[in-house]
Every structure is written in C-alpha cells, then in structure tokens.
Amino acid sequence: MSTPDAPLLVAEGLSKRYGQRIGCADVSLGIHEGEVVAVVGESGSGKSTLLGLLSTQLLPDAGNVRYRMRSGDERNLFALGEAERRFLLRTDWGFVHQDARLGLRMGVSAGGNVGERLMAVGWRHYGRIRAEAENWLERVEIARERIDDCPSAFSGGMRQRLQIAKNMVTRPRLIFMDEPTGGLDVSVQARLLDLIRSFVGDYGLAAVIVTHDLAVARLLSHRIIVMRHGRVIETGLTDQVLDDPREPYTQLLVASVLQV
Amino acid sequence: MSDAAHYNFAYLDEQTKRMIRRALLKAVAIPGYQVPFASREMPMPYGWGTGGVQVTASVLGPDDILKVIDQGADDTTNAVSIRKFFERTAGIATTTHTRDATVIQTRHRIPEAPLKEGQILVYQVPIPEPLRFLEPRETETRRQHALEDYGLMHVKLYEDIARHGHIATTYAYPVKVDDRYIMDPSPTPKFDNPKMDMCPALQLFGAGREKRIYALPPYTKVVSLDFEDHPFERTKFDRGCELCGAEGIYLDEVVTDDRGGCMYVCSDTDYCEGRRAAPHAAAPPIREARR
Ligand SMILES: Nc1ncnc2c1ncn2[C@@H]1O[C@H](COP(=O)(O)OP(=O)(O)O)[C@@H](O)[C@H]1O
Ligand SMILES: [Mg+2]
Ligand SMILES: [Zn+2]
C-alpha cells in the first residue's frame, strides 16, 4: 500500500535497444493521478519507445515500471500475468493512437467499438451497453444517429473522438496518447485538443502524451519531458521549460529551429 | 466390398490414425479446445469433408455401422460418396437409420432422433475459429482462447442486433462449452444447438483444410451465447412437415416444379421416412404449397 499522494506510475531506469540502435536509455519518471505529462523531442528521439515501455506494449532490456492498481496495491507491471495485464489495459488504461485503425475496429459500428470494453468485462445486457455507448458518443460530440455507422465512414477528427469514447467507457485513470492530433487539419486539431483538455480535467485523468508539437504540449500538459537520442535531457513544469529552457537543445526546439 | 483388401482399413495408414487419435484424446480431455493436427491429403477436395473423413477413419472399427448425412439427407452426392468411400476402404456396414448407426458423419445437421450413449457424431467443419470474424490474426485468437478473453464474441452478436434488431446469426451460432471455451458448432443451424447440450453421444469435429480437431465428450454443457435482453431463441417453424406431419423439427423448402411450387419437408430424411413407415403416424396427404 502507498500514500494517496504517491505517484500512480513510477518508471525506473528504463532502457530498450533495437539491435545496436538505442530506443531509449535509462529513463526514470513518475506520473501522479490527474497529471498530464507531455513527451517531446525530434523524430527518432525515443518518444514512442518510452510510451510502449510505460504501457507494457514493449519489454525493456533494463528497468521496471510500478503501478498503483485500483485496489491500492503497487505492482511491478512486467511481473503481471497476461490475463491481469490485459484486464488493466482495458479497464484502468486507455490508448489513443495517431492512426485510428490501430485503436478502432474499422468494420464494427461506433456503438460496437465503444461497447467492446464493457462486453469484455462482462456486460451482457444489450440495451444497457447501447445506452452507455450513446452516452459516451454524445460526450465526445458524435451524434447519436451515427451509433450504427462504422468508423470507416467517419472523418479523421471523429475517429480520434471515437477512440477517446472507446477508452473512456471503463473510466480509466491513465491514458496514453501517441501524436493524437497528428495529421489533422488545424481547426480539427483545436476541437480535439479542447475535448482532451476538458476530459482530463473533468475525469481527473492522468495522461502521457507523445507529441512533436510544442503547442499541443503547452495546451494540455502540466509537465514536459524532453528527449534526445533516447535519453531524457530536460524535464520540468511545462510553462517553465517552454518559457525558460535550460538545455541548449531545448532552446533550439522552442525556437523552432529544429525540424521536429 | 472386396476392394477393402486393397486399402489399409479405412484408407488412412495406422501411423496417421494414431496421430489423429492422440489429437482426439486431447480434444476430448479439453472440451471445445481446438487441437492442431497434421491433416492429410484425402482422395477428395477440401470442402468435401476431409476433416470429418479423417476423424471418422480414425474412430471406425470393423463392427461399426456408419451413417453419413449432408443437410440432413443420406442421399445427397456428398453423403453418398463418403458412405461409398468407407464401404470400399473399410468394408463396414452402413445404414441410413440414426438409431442403428454407431458412427454418424454429418455436414450441416444433427439428426432429429435423440442420439444415444455409445454413438459418435462426426462433424465436417470448414472454419473452426469462432473469433475469426472480427480477429483475423491466429496468434491473437489463440491468446484470447487461452485467457478466456471473449468480449469480441459478444461484439459480433451486438453488431447483429444493431443491424437487424435481433441476433440474426442462424448458422454456426457460437456456443460456450463446459463454461470455458467458445466454440463454433460448424455450419449447423442454430435450431440444432440445444441438441449438443448434455448430449449422450460423443461429438467430434474435424476441420481438414484448417487442420483442427475439437470435441464434446458425452454429457457436456453447451450454452448458446446471447444477451440478457436478447436471449437465444431456437428457430421456430410455423408449420409441420408436409410429408409426415412432424412439428417442431427442422424443415427444408423443396422446389417441386418450375412454376414456383414448393413444399416444406423434414430436412432429416431418415426421420421423415421413419414416421411415414410407422403405422401410428398418419401422414397428411401430400399437397403442393404455392407461394
Ligand atoms: N521496431 C524498431 N526496430 C528498430 N529500430 C527501432 C524500432 N522502433 C524504433 N526504432 C529506433 O529507435 C529509435 C527511437 O524510435 P522511436 O521511439 O520511434 O522515436 P520517436 O517516437 O521519438 O520518433 C529510433 O532510432 C528508431 O529508428
Ligand atoms: Mg513516434
Ligand atoms: Zn417429415
């Protein structure tokens, strides 16, 4: 057991290589309940690798991740059994992928996509599953009439909002996002960012958001982690880091000199 | 029948039969679990029941009496050719009577007459994986079975209701076996699903192209999946057989002429003939139904 203000998730010394290439090296961090952390850095700096390790999608060569379960028990995530891990992934966690096809079943209706997690945890009443799906579609501003349409018929922005609804239906405490606004038009991005911001606020979500867009980090995150060559080179409160970067590399990033 | 001397008993060599029997034993030990097996080439194309034929060949003994049905009928091309195949290669007796058979190989139906202890029902299976509809990756479906991670199966039923207002799946309707594995009953109509539950006969399933065997030992619990507010319903026919008058059994629509005439008759031909032969079953006069 741990104190209430202990971090929700703690990573220690995470390292991952792909052959000779470094994915990420010796990364340690903590995420508190309700805290939004942005991971920024150039392409290839190790952001997605870190996200994969934190979310147990990848296995580290070294290091570990501890997580405070809903029960209050702190667990080493890489020691969880596969069934337990899957249960955690689909109840207490969420994932929003840049490519919606990784997060949605494109041939299943919006209602079926949102209902999947509920059915996986044992819901067996069609009417209640559907009502809950409608409820969440409405909250992500997708019209109820679209409940039986497949995401293949949705715009890019709608697909991202549907991914969020699909995740939120089990009321996760932690959500991982990899470039959630990537590839969207500016106006569509703005609407999605508003939605994410209100969700993390309203539901007290903790989030790890990988982005190459510092404006996204500024808008959404409390804290920022700057990565380079697989290492964390600077971390701090978002406004501080972006307004007054210490590292020369971060200064270049902020000055938009680097192509991120 | 003298041809039997030219073949090893029931065509397959003893080595292959032993391999298949080992798979069958494992399948019986883990009801509803799909056991991989090294499916052999058979002298008939896939889709003609090569999986079922290999299972039948492995369980047949010289004293067995074999019945083969396709869509409930003993006289269809597929059923006749499989029956002849075993007459020729095993020299065993065959029958069309469900009650006399010790082994029944079937495609698409379970006989109407209740099966008994000691009988074996062998199903020909085209696609053994019930989760394939939504998850094409075999590695993932296997993991889902291992972890009893079956939310996806209800997503399929959810989609059915969302599209059609009810669970529209009428064939290959998924079941949960012994409170553990989800299983595809092969393309039998859902009408037959309740017959699998607590059945006194041994039920064996062979998928030749997909190289899988699964089984239901006698008296295994088999439950059709559903939702609380959309419970499983057996198909109901609002009429009886026009040949034997039987009600509450599975009917086929048979075209009787080229002017749209048709009639509804038992899909299980042996059942129908048995009722008509029995003195107590007063069959209604044969008439033509028009639509
Ligand atoms: N599956 C992989 N196989 C080999 N190298 C990889 C793989 N994934 C990432 N890398 C390498 O690891 C480094 C970090 O990549 P990544 O975590 O994807 O960075 P980012 O998300 O910041 O762009 C890069 O050099 C990348 O080429
Ligand atoms: Mg990346
Ligand atoms: Zn009849």
Side-chain angles (χ1 to χ4, degrees):
Chain A
M1 296 295 284
S2 50
T3 53
D5 55 347
L8 188 58
L9 180 144
V10 177
E12 285 170 334
L14 284 179
S15 296
K16 171 86 184 166
R17 282 179 169 278
Y18 303 98
Q20 287 303 307
R21 190 170 285 169
I22 291 172
C24 93
D26 197 24
V27 175
S28 300
L29 57 86
I31 297 158
H32 286 77
E33 220 153 312
E35 185 184 35
V36 180
V37 176
V39 181
V40 303
E42 284 173 286
S43 174
S45 59
K47 306 183 296 293
S48 294
T49 300
L50 176 60
L51 199 72
L53 292 170
L54 293 176
S55 60
T56 73
Q57 318 267 23
L58 293 174
L59 281 179
D61 300 321
N64 67 66
V65 179
R66 283 179 287 124
Y67 184 72
R68 183 154 46 81
M69 310 291 270
R70 283 189 188 187
S71 63
D73 293 343
E74 217 174 69
R75 301 288 300 273
N76 174 0
L77 291 184
F78 297 110
L80 291 182
E82 179 64 10
E84 227 177 349
R85 191 182 73 90
R86 284 190 171 210
F87 186 77
L88 178 73
L89 257 60
R90 71 156 68 100
T91 55
D92 214 20
W93 288 3
F95 293 85
V96 178
H97 301 265
Q98 175 174 0
D99 181 354
R101 285 169 300 183
L102 297 176
L104 298 173
R105 296 190 187 278
M106 301 305 279
V108 168
S109 69
N113 266 287
V114 178
E116 180 173 353
R117 278 180 169 222
L118 298 175
M119 292 182 250
V121 297
W123 286 43
R124 292 292 178 264
H125 191 285
Y126 175 83
R128 284 202 278 273
I129 293 164
R130 196 169 171 82
E132 192 69 0
E134 277 180 348
N135 182 2
W136 281 102
L137 288 179
E138 199 151 82
R139 288 192 220 182
V140 298
E141 299 163 18
I142 294 175
R144 277 166 187 253
E145 306 86 84
R146 305 300 302 269
I147 190 167
D148 293 329
D149 294 345
C150 291
S152 49
F154 285 4
S155 68
M158 280 173 80
R159 288 181 188 178
Q160 297 310 71
R161 284 181 274 127
L162 180 59
Q163 278 200 76
I164 293 171
K166 181 181 174 115
N167 283 299
M168 288 304 297
V169 71
T170 52
R171 296 298 194 95
R173 290 188 299 163
L174 174 60
I175 193 157
F176 298 94
M177 306 192 191
D178 197 346
E179 305 278 7
T181 59
L184 298 177
D185 291 345
V186 177
S187 63
V188 177
Q189 271 195 29
R191 185 174 173 198
L192 183 62
L193 288 170
D194 273 350
L195 189 87
I196 294 174
R197 195 156 68 147
S198 71
F199 265 55
V200 292
D202 293 353
Y203 299 103
L205 273 176
V208 182
I209 302 177
V210 161
T211 179
H212 68 275
D213 186 341
L214 297 184
V216 168
R218 165 105 61 188
L219 189 68
L220 293 180
S221 69
H222 306 118
R223 209 146 53 81
I224 202 165
I225 287 175
V226 183
M227 292 190 73
R228 187 184 192 193
H229 300 325
R231 292 179 183 274
V232 174
I233 57 157
E234 181 161 4
T235 176
L237 296 177
T238 301
D239 289 342
Q240 266 173 25
V241 171
L242 293 183
D243 292 341
D244 187 17
R246 277 180 290 124
E247 292 293 321
Y249 176 80
T250 314
Q251 289 163 9
L252 293 175
L253 268 188
V254 171
S256 300
V257 174
L258 294 174
Q259 189 66 40
V260 288
Chain B
M1 294 262 166
S2 56
D3 277 5
H6 302 306
Y7 298 97
N8 193 44
F9 181 78
Y11 185 81
L12 290 177
D13 61 86
E14 294 307 310
Q15 198 65 7
T16 301
K17 283 192 267 184
R18 265 202 294 278
M19 175 274 291
I20 294 173
R21 286 179 199 135
R22 275 197 294 271
L24 287 170
L25 285 172
K26 183 166 180 184
V28 167
I30 317 170
Y33 173 75
Q34 298 168 48
V35 181
F37 80 110
S39 179
R40 290 298 143 90
E41 291 292 324
M42 296 302 285
M44 58 193 72
Y46 287 124
W48 279 68
T50 57
V53 167
Q54 291 177 79
V55 169
T56 298
S58 306
V59 299
L60 275 184
D63 299 330
D64 272 312
I65 303 168
L66 178 68
K67 171 182 165 76
V68 183
I69 48 173
D70 181 6
Q71 308 273 10
D74 297 83
D75 58 1
T76 56
T77 319
N78 187 293
V80 170
S81 74
I82 291 173
R83 196 163 58 234
K84 286 210 175 113
F85 175 78
F86 284 114
E87 282 171 355
R88 205 167 59 237
T89 61
I92 50 149
T94 58
T95 182
T96 58
H97 299 317
T98 299
R99 66 171 179 279
D100 297 336
T102 56
V103 177
I104 303 170
Q105 179 168 334
T106 180
R107 174 169 170 265
H108 288 227
R109 280 308 313 280
I110 298 174
E112 303 292 357
L115 300 177
K116 303 171 293 195
E117 282 185 13
Q119 288 183 310
I120 301 177
L121 185 59
V122 178
Y123 297 75
Q124 302 170 200
V125 180
I127 299 171
E129 180 47 72
L131 299 163
R132 174 132 348 137
F133 171 77
L134 290 170
E135 180 51 75
R137 290 170 300 169
E138 166 99 24
T139 46
E140 177 59 19
T141 54
R142 278 211 223 178
R143 207 170 298 143
Q144 287 170 348
H145 283 296
L147 298 169
E148 215 174 334
D149 188 359
Y150 286 139
L152 205 51
M153 205 67 247
H154 272 88
V155 172
K156 182 178 186 293
L157 299 180
Y158 171 96
E159 292 291 287
D160 247 16
I161 304 172
R163 289 208 178 111
H164 309 284
H166 59 98
I167 299 178
T169 302
T170 52
Y171 288 86
Y173 190 109
V175 294
K176 190 154 206 182
V177 173
D178 201 21
D179 296 321
R180 177 59 181 86
Y181 284 98
I182 284 185
M183 187 190 94
D184 188 325
S186 89
T188 48
K190 70 172 183 176
F191 177 88
D192 285 338
N193 275 20
K195 296 179 191 166
M196 294 191 295
D197 182 35
M198 300 307 273
C199 177
L202 170 63
Q203 301 173 77
L204 304 175
F205 299 77
R209 191 180 40 222
E210 304 253 349
K211 303 178 169 49
R212 291 287 183 280
I213 281 171
Y214 49 102
L216 298 170
Y219 302 108
T220 300
K221 182 176 168 192
V222 177
V223 178
S224 301
L225 301 183
D226 60 5
F227 286 102
E228 288 157 21
D229 49 343
H230 286 268
F232 172 82
E233 270 178 28
R234 193 175 200 181
T235 311
K236 285 193 195 76
F237 295 87
D238 55 4
R239 61 179 85 211
C241 170
E242 291 175 43
L243 292 178
C244 74
E247 292 185 355
I249 44 91
Y250 197 79
L251 298 178
D252 277 340
E253 185 184 334
V254 178
V255 176
T256 51
D257 57 41
D258 55 8
R259 291 158 314 180
C262 70
M263 61 192 298
Y264 289 87
V265 300
C266 294
S267 131
D268 184 334
T269 51
D270 169 57
Y271 182 78
C272 197
E273 283 160 15
R275 279 180 57 90
R276 281 181 285 155
H280 58 84
I286 297 169
R287 64 190 158 76
E288 247 175 49
R290 299 226 172 253
R291 287 203 298 183

